[in-house]
Amino acid sequence: MKKINYITIVLLSLFIFSCTELDEVPVTDISPEGYFKDVATVEAAVLGTYGYIASEGYWGRKYTLTLMLRADMTDIGERGTPARRQQINDFGVDATNGMITAIWPRSYEIVSAANYAIAGAESLASENIDQLSLTQLIAEARLVRAFMYFNLVRMFGDVPYIDRPINDPISVADISKTSKDVVYQSIIADLKFATENLPMTPPDNSRSRPSKGTAYTMLADVYLTLGNYQEAYNHAKWVIDNEVELDYDLEPDYQDLFDATKQDQTKEHIFSFDFLGSQSGSGSANDDLTGALTGVRGADVQGWSVAVPSLDVYNTWDDRDYRKKVAFADSTIIDEVLQPYTVYSTVKRPHIAKYFEKPGNSNGEARYSDHNYAAYRYGEVLLTAAEALNEVSGPTDEALGYVNRIRERARNWAGTTVDFPADVQTGISKDEFRNLVLEERRLELSFEFKRWFDIQRRDLGEEAFTGTNSLEPHSNFDSSRDYLLPIPQDELDRNPNLLPQNSGY
């Protein structure tokens, strides 16, 4: 939505430092009471959290590439890519892996930014200032904090939980991990506060900022992850029941979801991270490399062929599905001629098209794109409701109807209605419908950084990586180890209270 001003990162850099680098002196001793003067300064701090997320160190490469490679939909393409990426993909990670040693501190930088914004707003509670606006900004920052901890706890399990600004690193020098159960309780508390205090539509209806619908959507995802299917359904159903007031709908043409020139107008995005085309900031802000990482080496738009699906991912997907056409670049322009994947220069497999083909204003590698990346979109809410309701009540007509809305949209082949995929019919069993919904999520949300968490929460690793129908076989996958990543070794070296290391590392 191009509403977030990344100059706020400069403001935040005055007082935010990584609370994991506990042996370093903070840049400044500015306190929330000294910096925050009014609603505008609090809002600048909140917006700054999105600047940290929309950066190479998080959504632009490190976090999202890790999720893509960890799952069974995206394999390594060129094996000359750095070993840290191959280790993530091949379940050969150790505690010094460069991906996790980057994700961990960046995550806590974003948490720190949110904590400063919350404390700053709270410091103005007694002032003659618009308290409603301050409360909404607190709710927004608490949602961001919940989002970050939700990602951290799913990646690492027990993690340190910090919910206050850290002016003195010594005060957390010996912090220990918080159990994941307590972290989840805190995540839910933050999101419940957000459901109560965020508006129905965000400022300027920008999907880069959360609304009440965002909070309900995220809570539904948290409850789905925890296996609390009744609450997952309740929260997803609230979003569905209020879709008109929330201004949510499915995008009529699936392709438009991945066209950077059209994403500002979509009603399907519920919470997205907005990159500004061909712009960059300090600290890797606004540097989106996903298009380059997934693009075709040797093409006229020069990709890097790093994250490339296996041939089985492509070949097992029905050609009649429009979503397959949108998801894959099985041909591309090379020397001004459209060429099939069989002649690609280095990795002769269909590549991911969602971020490579329509990046908007970007450079010649599809880097520094104009994409708005949906952390949540309405299509996922429908599938969450279907999956959760099935667990509660079986495959009811209502549950089938949610999947059929997704399939109805999929039958719109760029304006031409086709007959595939067909509606799900009644008479299906609970187990069959569960598998169908998970498969629908795999296809509908392909390459959107969701699949790994589905594998994890449903304990599908053995089936996905060692089963007879594995799309990306890895015989060394170990469910007792590989659902979590190791705590970074440099963090353990600085603070032994973070021991024990996760199992198997």
Side-chain angles (χ1 to χ4, degrees):
M1 297 256 170
K2 318 308 174 198
K3 298 293 184 183
I4 294 179
N5 186 346
Y6 287 107
I7 199 170
T8 56
I9 300 171
V10 177
L11 299 175
L12 282 170
S13 66
L14 293 173
F15 56 85
I16 293 175
F17 57 92
S18 171
C19 55
T20 63
E21 296 175 354
L22 303 179
D23 55 344
E24 296 184 5
V25 177
V27 174
T28 178
D29 291 327
I30 290 178
S31 66
E33 293 79 6
Y35 173 77
F36 294 100
K37 301 296 185 183
D38 49 27
V39 170
T41 50
V42 175
E43 185 173 39
V46 172
L47 296 183
T49 65
Y50 306 127
Y52 277 115
I53 293 172
S55 68
E56 183 277 336
Y58 204 71
W59 210 269
R61 173 158 57 180
K62 291 294 195 305
Y63 172 73
T64 48
L65 181 60
T66 295
L67 293 185
M68 291 178 79
L69 292 177
R70 202 68 172 170
D72 64 343
M73 291 289 282
T74 308
D75 200 359
I76 288 289
E78 288 193 357
R79 282 285 168 175
T81 198
R84 60 181 178 269
R85 299 170 186 166
Q86 300 187 54
Q87 292 166 1
I88 291 287
N89 185 80
D90 298 343
F91 299 103
V93 177
D94 62 28
T96 64
N97 181 273
M99 302 289 277
I100 63 171
T101 59
I103 292 168
W104 180 285
R106 177 49 58 100
S107 298
Y108 279 101
E109 287 172 356
I110 300 165
V111 167
S112 180
N115 285 339
Y116 268 95
I118 293 165
E122 291 174 344
S123 74
L124 300 175
S126 62
E127 304 293 330
N128 186 22
I129 293 174
D130 180 358
Q131 294 300 310
L132 176 61
S133 294
L134 287 177
T135 300
Q136 289 181 349
L137 288 168
I138 291 171
E140 188 170 353
R142 288 184 67 170
L143 182 141
V144 171
R145 183 171 69 188
F147 178 75
M148 295 308 303
Y149 277 119
F150 186 35
N151 295 339
L152 276 167
V153 77
R154 288 183 293 175
M155 294 187 89
F156 297 103
D158 298 347
V159 294
Y161 187 82
I162 302 172
D163 61 356
R164 67 190 189 281
I166 305 300
N167 294 315
D168 178 13
I170 300 302
S171 67
V172 292
D174 58 354
I175 193 171
S176 59
K177 290 184 290 189
T178 305
S179 76
K180 65 179 182 180
D181 291 341
V182 173
V183 175
Y184 270 115
Q185 291 172 14
S186 300
I187 291 168
I188 290 169
D190 275 348
L191 292 175
K192 285 185 174 179
F193 184 88
T195 64
E196 295 165 358
N197 293 286
L198 285 173
M200 288 296 282
T201 56
D204 300 317
N205 202 20
S206 168
R207 306 308 166 92
S208 300
R209 298 183 68 176
S211 68
K212 199 177 292 289
T214 313
Y216 272 92
T217 296
M218 203 177 299
L219 261 174
D221 193 20
V222 170
Y223 284 125
L224 192 73
T225 299
L226 293 174
N228 186 339
Y229 296 111
Q230 183 65 63
E231 287 299 326
Y233 168 71
N234 291 346
H235 286 79
K237 184 65 162 56
W238 185 93
V239 176
I240 295 166
D241 288 345
N242 291 277
E243 65 177 10
V244 174
E245 188 175 356
L246 293 165
D247 199 26
Y248 295 160
D249 202 356
L250 295 179
E251 187 67 35
D253 188 335
Y254 186 77
Q255 175 68 79
D256 290 347
L257 285 168
F258 311 101
D259 184 339
T261 67
K262 298 180 179 180
Q263 290 166 336
D264 286 354
Q265 292 77 42
T266 185
K267 293 185 177 184
E268 186 157 349
H269 281 192
I270 291 176
F271 190 41
S272 62
F273 301 121
D274 184 354
F275 287 82
L276 304 180
S278 295
Q279 298 186 33
S280 61
S282 61
S284 78
N286 205 53
D287 188 357
D288 171 31
L289 297 100
T290 306
L293 289 163
T294 58
V296 181
R297 178 79 70 180
D300 288 7
V301 176
Q302 176 71 260
W304 301 346
S305 293
V306 171
V308 184
S310 71
L311 270 175
D312 280 344
V313 173
Y314 178 80
N315 289 335
T316 57
W317 195 332
D318 197 303
D319 289 339
R320 296 173 295 172
D321 193 337
Y322 178 55
R323 294 170 298 184
K324 178 180 182 179
K325 175 179 172 57
V326 171
F328 287 100
D330 53 12
S331 59
T332 197
I333 303 296
I334 302 174
D335 295 331
E336 300 183 357
V337 176
L338 184 66
Q339 299 281 8
Y341 71 85
T342 51
V343 301
Y344 289 177
S345 61
T346 59
V347 182
K348 299 183 189 305
R349 306 198 301 258
H351 286 46
I352 298 168
K354 284 187 172 181
Y355 315 113
F356 172 65
E357 288 197 338
K358 298 180 182 293
N361 182 18
S362 63
N363 74 357
E365 299 174 322
R367 184 177 179 179
Y368 300 110
S369 81
D370 224 14
H371 277 302
N372 298 351
Y373 286 90
Y376 290 102
R377 58 181 177 86
Y378 192 52
E380 183 180 355
V381 174
L382 296 173
L383 293 174
T384 295
E387 182 181 351
L389 182 56
N390 181 59
E391 297 299 334
V392 173
S393 304
T396 63
D397 289 345
E398 180 187 345
L400 269 61
Y402 296 139
V403 176
N404 288 338
R405 281 188 67 178
I406 296 291
R407 291 191 167 191
E408 180 183 13
R409 190 261 298 277
R411 293 195 292 268
N412 174 20
W413 194 296
T416 299
T417 301
V418 298
D419 60 5
F420 186 90
D423 280 353
V424 184
Q425 299 299 309
T426 58
I428 189 171
S429 73
K430 183 176 183 177
D431 289 344
E432 289 170 337
F433 188 69
R434 178 189 300 117
N435 293 334
L436 181 147
V437 174
L438 289 170
E439 179 68 1
E440 199 72 26
R441 285 179 62 92
R442 187 179 72 85
L443 302 180
E444 171 69 22
L445 304 172
S446 65
F447 316 124
E448 295 180 47
F449 327 120
K450 301 287 183 177
R451 175 62 176 169
W452 169 248
F453 289 137
D454 284 351
I455 290 172
Q456 179 193 65
R457 67 183 175 83
R458 283 295 192 174
D459 192 17
L460 298 175
E462 297 289 347
E463 175 185 335
F465 299 110
T466 67
T468 56
N469 295 319
S470 173
L471 301 175
E472 186 187 325
H474 292 287
S475 60
N476 64 325
F477 174 83
D478 182 350
S479 59
S480 68
R481 177 194 64 197
D482 292 322
Y483 284 137
L484 295 179
L485 293 167
I487 304 297
Q489 188 61 48
D490 55 353
E491 302 294 337
L492 297 176
D493 292 342
R494 275 190 287 270
N495 180 12
N497 287 329
L498 295 178
L499 290 167
Q501 177 60 277
N502 285 335
S503 177
Y505 295 106

